[in-house]
Amino acid sequence: MALTDALPIETEVAKLIVQTLNLKIDPAQIQPEQPLFGEGLGLDSIDALELSLAISQSYGYQIRSDDPEIVATFASLRSLCKSIEKNRTK
Amino acid sequence: MSLQWLRQRERGSWIAIQFMVWVALRLGRPAARTLLYPICVYYAVFSGRARRAIRQFLHRVLGRRISWRDLFHHYHCFASTILDRFYLLAGQHHRFQVDVQGAELLTNYLNRGQGCILLGSHLGSFEIVRAIGMSRRDLEIKVLLYEENAPMIREVVRSLNPQVADTVLSVGAPDTMLQVKDCLDRGGQVGIMGDRLVQHHQTTLCKFFGTLARFPTGTMRLTSVLKAPVILFFGLYRGGNRYEVHFELFAEQVILDREHRDQQIQQWTQRYADRLEYYCRLAPDNWFNFYDFWSER
């Protein structure tokens, strides 16, 4: 399924995910609602760290380990983008 | 896996562990060590899978026929370090004679406020190293552990020393590695085990005692993302009340370039495997991976 319902920011972050983590997939293959960890895209906690650092660099949004929303933030591409939009400084 | 025999028999073991803790702390180490003999005989006889793994490992290292005496000694060595964990957790460090080599390497970094990754293995006792780490009360320490996910062991640790229990980060949650990074950024120390980590399906083949074995790639991926100095540690048990702790610089920083990533992960992991092999030869009886390490699975 193509990313017809993907928002511009989602397309952008999907690209960032693929690039940062060296994934061998097309960014358009990441479904906005698909889980990023485990069953879905299959990312692990090391990927989460790498991704957090890339997001901090690109958007000036520092994801903190003591953030109570952290698990919800990393749930899917969509939730991650919502958090980025809310917290970005660049 | 290394603590498998402690958790194998759910309820029975739980009572046994509580009893051992009671004997250890109430009746003292000589009494508790006497009890290790029947325990070791029992496990040497009834834990077929572990026994075969130990026999195979010792045969590879020593290159000779492995006797029951060797096997018993191996179990006894393991059981001794488990028993000593109780004392270390209870804060009774004075019981042990610990020879530490290379400590200045670590303290030089830490005194400069530079956080360090301490890379260990299931060779020897990590508890003795954690005890040394925690003696610096000004410094934060975290340990990424897999086996501590075993609720029984976690409960024992928590009951003996809640402060130590709080140092454990369990592998798996999305925020775990962010906590690791935060700890390092604050100039703390993070302990990880390089022979068994996070994602077991992500592995790379390394030569280990002449034969290819699977090692997790997560260790080098993680250290490269964290960009902190990596220091190897081994806490070898040397019989009686003696321990020998080795610290050794593994890398100022593990750097992976994007293009040759997989190949470089393999090379770094191979370096780790080589050092592990070196220390295994120093103390083969400290090998506490009680499963077929070279298994294809």
Side-chain angles (χ1 to χ4, degrees):
Chain A
M1 198 175 82
L3 272 185
T4 44
D5 56 346
L7 306 166
I9 175 94
E10 288 170 352
T11 314
E12 198 179 292
V13 175
K15 240 183 245 168
L16 181 75
I17 292 174
V18 168
Q19 223 168 41
T20 306
L21 304 177
N22 236 1
L23 302 180
K24 313 263 185 290
I25 57 166
D26 179 357
Q29 277 176 279
I30 303 177
Q31 304 293 324
E33 302 281 0
Q34 176 190 23
L36 292 174
F37 292 86
E39 291 290 294
L41 199 54
L43 303 187
D44 63 20
S45 54
I46 305 173
D47 295 319
L49 171 63
E50 226 176 335
L51 199 53
S52 307
L53 298 177
I55 288 168
S56 155
Q57 222 170 28
S58 303
Y59 300 101
Y61 161 38
Q62 216 156 2
I63 303 174
R64 297 174 48 93
S65 64
D66 54 5
D67 179 353
E69 300 285 298
I70 191 159
V71 176
T73 298
F74 277 114
S76 67
L77 178 61
R78 185 146 289 165
S79 59
L80 184 60
C81 290
K82 272 188 192 146
S83 291
I84 292 175
E85 298 238 275
K86 206 167 91 188
N87 297 291
R88 64 189 293 176
T89 55
K90 47 176 162 176
Chain B
M1 189 69 79
S2 66
L3 293 173
Q4 198 190 36
W5 65 266
L6 279 176
R7 15 176 169 108
Q8 259 162 1
R9 294 161 172 262
E10 288 282 46
R11 182 116 194 102
S13 279
W14 177 240
I15 293 166
I17 293 173
Q18 289 300 331
F19 176 67
M20 274 309 288
V21 171
W22 183 84
V23 170
L25 300 180
R26 287 301 170 87
L27 305 182
R29 196 162 175 265
R33 281 177 70 82
T34 307
L35 268 183
L36 294 185
Y37 286 92
I39 292 174
C40 289
V41 168
Y42 176 85
Y43 282 103
V45 172
F46 291 107
S47 64
R49 183 164 166 255
R51 188 178 66 234
R52 279 187 292 279
I54 297 169
R55 192 187 285 277
Q56 178 204 35
F57 176 81
L58 289 177
H59 180 71
R60 271 183 205 268
V61 181
L62 304 172
R64 61 168 168 82
R65 223 186 130 256
I66 302 306
S67 65
W68 277 94
R69 204 189 163 84
D70 294 316
L71 290 172
F72 178 80
H73 173 77
H74 204 102
Y75 277 95
H76 190 260
C77 199
F78 176 60
S80 299
T81 64
I82 297 289
L83 174 66
D84 289 347
R85 278 189 82 180
F86 301 153
Y87 295 110
L88 291 165
L89 288 167
Q92 300 179 15
H93 303 178
H94 60 273
R95 287 180 178 276
F96 304 103
Q97 198 187 320
V98 187
D99 176 17
V100 186
Q101 293 177 23
E104 64 289 346
L105 175 77
L106 184 61
T107 45
N108 282 347
Y109 281 119
L110 297 175
N111 290 342
R112 294 206 311 260
Q114 169 68 61
C116 289
I117 301 164
L118 288 163
L119 175 56
S121 65
H122 291 81
L123 179 76
S125 162
F126 75 89
E127 198 68 67
I128 194 82
V129 183
R130 176 157 63 182
I132 292 173
M134 289 192 76
S135 64
R136 289 278 306 251
R137 292 184 182 279
D138 54 322
L139 288 175
E140 193 179 349
I141 180 163
K142 293 277 181 223
V143 187
L144 265 179
L145 274 189
Y146 208 68
E147 64 212 33
E148 300 280 344
N149 287 344
M152 212 148 71
I153 297 301
R154 199 169 52 199
E155 235 174 288
V156 173
V157 173
R158 189 160 289 281
S159 69
L160 285 172
N161 193 331
Q163 205 190 339
V164 165
D166 288 340
T167 66
V168 176
L169 290 177
S170 59
V171 170
D175 62 327
T176 306
M177 300 307 169
L178 280 163
Q179 290 188 47
V180 167
K181 170 106 172 80
D182 288 350
C183 174
L184 290 172
D185 287 347
R186 289 190 291 261
Q189 321 167 58
V190 176
I192 58 179
M193 303 300 212
D195 52 351
R196 254 188 252 157
L197 193 97
V198 223
Q199 304 260 312
H200 288 257
H201 55 271
Q202 293 190 24
T203 57
T204 182
L205 285 168
C206 293
K207 214 169 207 187
F208 190 55
F209 286 96
T211 308
L212 292 175
R214 293 199 170 276
F215 284 80
T217 54
T219 315
M220 294 308 149
R221 281 174 55 221
L222 179 63
T223 51
S224 79
V225 179
L226 292 170
K227 298 188 171 65
V230 184
I231 293 164
L232 286 176
F233 74 85
F234 296 94
L236 307 178
Y237 176 60
R238 294 309 213 169
N241 67 341
R242 296 181 310 278
Y243 281 86
E244 201 178 279
V245 174
H246 295 261
F247 291 108
E248 177 182 301
L249 184 66
F250 182 71
E252 283 276 351
Q253 196 181 321
V254 170
I255 299 169
L256 303 174
D257 81 57
R258 209 156 272 282
E259 247 168 78
H260 307 101
R261 195 178 144 97
D262 290 349
Q263 191 190 347
Q264 286 177 345
I265 287 177
Q266 195 281 331
Q267 286 164 351
W268 279 108
T269 312
Q270 181 63 61
R271 258 194 72 192
Y272 168 80
D274 290 345
R275 294 317 290 157
L276 182 59
E277 181 175 324
Y278 171 84
Y279 284 100
C280 281
R281 286 190 197 280
L282 285 189
D285 54 3
N286 274 238
W287 181 254
F288 302 149
N289 281 315
F290 293 161
Y291 59 94
D292 180 5
F293 200 76
W294 289 268
S295 160
E296 278 305 304
R297 281 176 298 120

